[in-house]
């Protein structure tokens, strides 16, 4: 396990050093004549859900019909934990995708590197003013648009209602309705379920909260306590007393209460192995055939209130590809109002016409309109994306080695956060 992590780290450094510099063109970004035969388009994502891939494929088919061309598409599903590393390497070689998803944290790095084509001209056909200005900020630079957010999706809590009942305690949704859903009651709920049933009280988001999802896991707690990783103007807050108190709370849940699925344990909320998890709308489909009653609640509040994390993802076109003009037009088509409306039940939209519609609240058949309003729509308005930076890929790789020291019972939380802050300072200041 440790050797595997180190190998991934070396590969990540290699890929991200390359990413930091503009790549040599593999093709021309200038307009070409209309294709006379099938156009091959490769699309990279981190989803492997067949229904989601089928939906995206339907957009490709519609676009091809609209343009009067034949497209042979290939969807590449890259594991989330390896996504940036593998994508960065592919963009330096002959297997580069024409269209690819971009993580919010890495958006500045991809834009600065010149890997993303400008999209404003092709977006003009589809009412770009309909996009939320706030949602577009991360994907624009110098007044130009380089990717389009197709998902602006807040995290919330999914819970197993049967386990709450077995433990004789209120559900998170009931506590939220009483105004009593905070990180203290979250901790109490998790421990009560573990003590009463022997089942883990909480699983981190996608089970990656100790590794690839470290900030997704900790930032909701940290920010609601008044801390942060760093601010947009470069102030590092990861080792402030507020951040340390938040991280200590989670560390105590893992090693004192023993109520959280620990590092290395593969227990899965969706299989009934844990009572709660942090998730997004796209994960709800995993509960379609669940054999337990479940519900949804907002993220718990802290001293600074409820500060939900928005997981934002964009889609862009590779600026050096052989079919860059078609790829750009495809990105614009896939994020038009019609396509966005059909994605809304999986990936909440950045288009205001869809977000503000009644149809959005009923777009996910497994959630009620009230649940969508309370845990999704309201959080889109108040939530914040994770901190990003043009050097984020390097920050992530190097700081993860330090974060790894946190996951043992005797860890000195403050000392480790001080070391993480030192890593951040190397790149942010």
């Amino acid at each position: 396990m440790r050797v595997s992590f180190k190998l991934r780290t070396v590969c990540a450094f290699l890929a991200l050093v390359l990413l930091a510099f503009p790549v040599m063109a593999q093709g021309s970004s200038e307009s070409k004549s209309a294709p006379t035969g099938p156009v091959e388009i490769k699309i990279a994502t981190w989803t492997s859900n067949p229904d989601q891939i089928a939906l995206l494929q339907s957009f490709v088919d519609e676009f091809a019909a609209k343009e009067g061309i034949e497209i042979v598409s290939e969807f590449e599903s890259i594991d989330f934990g390896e996504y940036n590393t593998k994508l960065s390497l592919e963009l330096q070689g002959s297997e580069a995708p024409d269209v690819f998803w971009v993580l919010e944290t890495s958006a500045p790095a991809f834009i600065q590197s010149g890997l993303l084509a400008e999209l404003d001209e092709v977006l003009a056909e589809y009412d770009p003013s309909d996009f939320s200005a706030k949602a577009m900020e991360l994907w624009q630079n110098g007044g130009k648009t380089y990717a389009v957010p197709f998902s602006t999706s807040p995290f919330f809590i999914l819970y197993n209602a049967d386990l709450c009942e077995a433990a004789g305690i209120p559900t998170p949704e009931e506590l939220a309705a009483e105004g009593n859903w905070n990180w203290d009651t979250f901790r109490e709920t998790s421990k009560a379920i573990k003590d009463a049933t022997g089942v883990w009280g909480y699983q981190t988001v996608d089970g990656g909260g100790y590794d690839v999802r470290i900030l997704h896991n900790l930032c909701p707690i940290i920010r609601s306590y008044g801390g942060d990783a760093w601010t947009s103007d470069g102030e590092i807050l990861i080792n402030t007393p507020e951040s340390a108190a938040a991280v200590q709370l989670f560390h105590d849940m893992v090693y004192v209460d023993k109520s959280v699925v620990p590092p290395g344990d593969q227990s899965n909320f969706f299989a009934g192995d844990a009572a709660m998890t942090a998730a997004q709308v796209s994960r709800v489909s995993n509960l379609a055939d669940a054999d337990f009653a479940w519900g949804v609640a907002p993220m718990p509040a802290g001293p600074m209130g409820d500060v939900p994390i928005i997981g934002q993802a964009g889609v862009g076109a590779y600026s050096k590809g052989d079919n860059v003009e078609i790829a750009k037009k495809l990105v614009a088509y896939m994020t038009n109002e019609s396509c966005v409306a059909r994605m809304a039940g999986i990936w909440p939209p950045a288009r205001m016409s869809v977000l503000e519609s009644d149809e959005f609240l009923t777009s996910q058949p497994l959630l009620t309109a009230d649940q969508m309003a309370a845990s999704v729509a309201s959080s889109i308005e108040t939530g914040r994306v994770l901190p990003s930076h043009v050097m984020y890929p390097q920050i992530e790789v190097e700081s993860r080695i330090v974060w790894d020291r946190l996951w043992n019972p005797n860890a000195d939380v403050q000392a480790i956060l001080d070391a993480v802050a030192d890593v951040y300072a190397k790149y942010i200041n």
Side-chain angles (χ1 to χ4, degrees):
M1 183 70 70
R2 183 67 58 190
V3 171
S4 177
F5 176 78
K6 287 182 178 178
L7 287 173
R8 292 201 311 271
T9 299
V10 171
C11 290
F13 266 123
L14 172 62
L16 297 169
V17 166
L18 291 170
L19 177 60
F21 299 94
V23 296
M24 297 298 293
Q26 295 178 353
S28 172
S29 60
E30 298 178 357
S31 298
K32 300 179 180 180
S33 58
T36 57
V39 179
E40 296 183 358
I41 295 290
K42 181 178 179 180
I43 303 170
T45 79
W46 53 78
T47 183
S48 58
N49 183 298
D51 294 332
Q52 295 173 8
I53 296 295
L55 179 62
L56 298 175
Q57 178 63 58
S58 72
F59 300 159
V60 176
D61 295 339
E62 293 168 9
F63 169 75
K66 174 180 179 295
E67 296 292 314
I69 59 177
E70 182 181 353
I71 293 179
V72 177
S73 59
E74 173 193 353
F75 283 88
E76 179 185 22
S77 299
I78 304 174
D79 180 78
F80 182 87
E82 305 291 339
Y83 187 80
N84 273 339
T85 304
K86 186 173 181 180
L87 177 63
S88 300
L89 288 171
E90 287 188 358
L91 291 173
Q92 314 306 317
S94 60
E95 299 299 320
D98 301 280
V99 172
F100 54 90
W101 287 3
V102 185
L103 286 162
E104 75 272 47
T105 49
S106 299
F110 274 92
I111 291 172
Q112 180 167 297
S113 69
L115 296 171
L116 290 164
E118 296 175 21
L119 298 172
D120 295 282
E121 183 178 349
V122 293
L123 288 173
E125 182 179 351
Y126 301 105
D127 188 15
S129 65
D130 186 34
F131 288 110
S132 162
K134 179 181 177 182
M136 292 295 290
E137 287 178 354
L138 189 61
W139 310 97
Q140 296 174 326
N141 187 49
K144 298 178 180 179
T145 304
Y146 292 91
V148 182
F150 68 88
S151 178
T152 302
S153 189
F155 285 87
F156 48 75
I157 295 293
L158 290 173
Y159 66 87
N160 184 320
D162 289 348
L163 288 172
C164 292
E165 182 179 3
I169 59 173
T171 68
E173 206 163 355
E174 290 169 339
L175 290 171
E178 297 169 1
N180 195 31
W181 181 231
N182 53 55
W183 291 108
D184 289 330
T185 55
F186 168 81
R187 179 179 181 179
E188 292 165 3
T189 297
S190 184
K191 187 175 188 305
I193 290 171
K194 182 63 163 63
D195 290 347
T197 69
V199 178
W200 298 111
Y202 180 67
Q203 179 201 13
T204 64
V205 56
D206 292 341
Y210 306 105
D211 191 1
V212 296
R213 294 277 195 178
I214 180 69
L215 290 185
H216 291 91
N217 180 37
L218 293 179
C219 268
I221 314 175
I222 289 172
R223 285 178 171 173
S224 68
Y225 268 69
D228 208 334
W230 64 83
T231 64
S232 59
D233 59 0
E235 184 180 6
I236 296 169
L237 301 176
I238 193 63
N239 60 337
T240 63
E242 294 81 5
S243 295
V247 175
Q248 188 70 61
L249 179 144
F250 181 76
H251 190 270
D252 287 347
M253 289 182 66
V254 178
Y255 294 108
V256 177
D257 301 347
K258 302 185 186 302
S259 63
V260 178
V261 177
D265 189 302
Q266 301 301 310
S267 296
N268 187 352
F269 166 83
F270 296 100
D273 302 331
M276 297 182 289
T277 193
Q280 296 165 288
V281 172
S282 59
R283 313 306 198 278
V284 171
S285 61
N286 293 331
L287 292 168
D289 299 317
D291 58 2
F292 55 85
W294 58 273
V296 59
M299 294 300 292
M304 302 301 293
D306 174 16
V307 188
I309 297 296
I310 300 281
Q312 195 175 51
V315 57
Y318 180 42
S319 62
K320 312 299 180 181
D322 291 334
N323 296 304
V324 63
E325 292 301 321
I326 291 175
K328 287 162 58 176
K329 290 180 180 180
L330 176 58
V331 168
Y333 184 85
M334 294 176 81
T335 54
N336 69 26
E337 182 177 350
S338 172
C339 293
V340 165
R342 283 175 280 168
M343 288 191 286
I346 306 170
W347 301 299
R351 282 192 175 272
M352 300 306 297
S353 59
V354 179
L355 181 61
E356 295 173 349
S357 69
D358 291 337
E359 289 76 14
F360 171 63
L361 297 180
T362 57
S363 61
Q364 172 46 256
L366 296 178
L367 296 179
T368 68
D370 287 344
Q371 288 173 326
M372 283 286 285
S375 297
V376 182
S378 64
S379 294
I380 291 175
E381 296 298 321
T382 61
R384 295 162 55 197
V385 297
L386 290 173
S388 62
H389 193 272
V390 69
M391 300 297 287
Y392 185 87
Q394 291 91 328
I395 292 169
E396 180 185 31
V397 169
E398 192 168 339
S399 65
R400 195 184 296 174
I401 299 170
V402 182
W403 281 116
D404 195 48
R405 291 159 39 193
L406 184 64
W407 310 124
N408 70 80
N410 300 315
D412 184 333
V413 170
Q414 184 64 63
I416 291 168
L417 295 182
D418 288 341
V420 172
D422 289 340
V423 174
Y424 290 172
K426 287 174 55 178
Y427 297 100
I428 293 172
N429 294 334

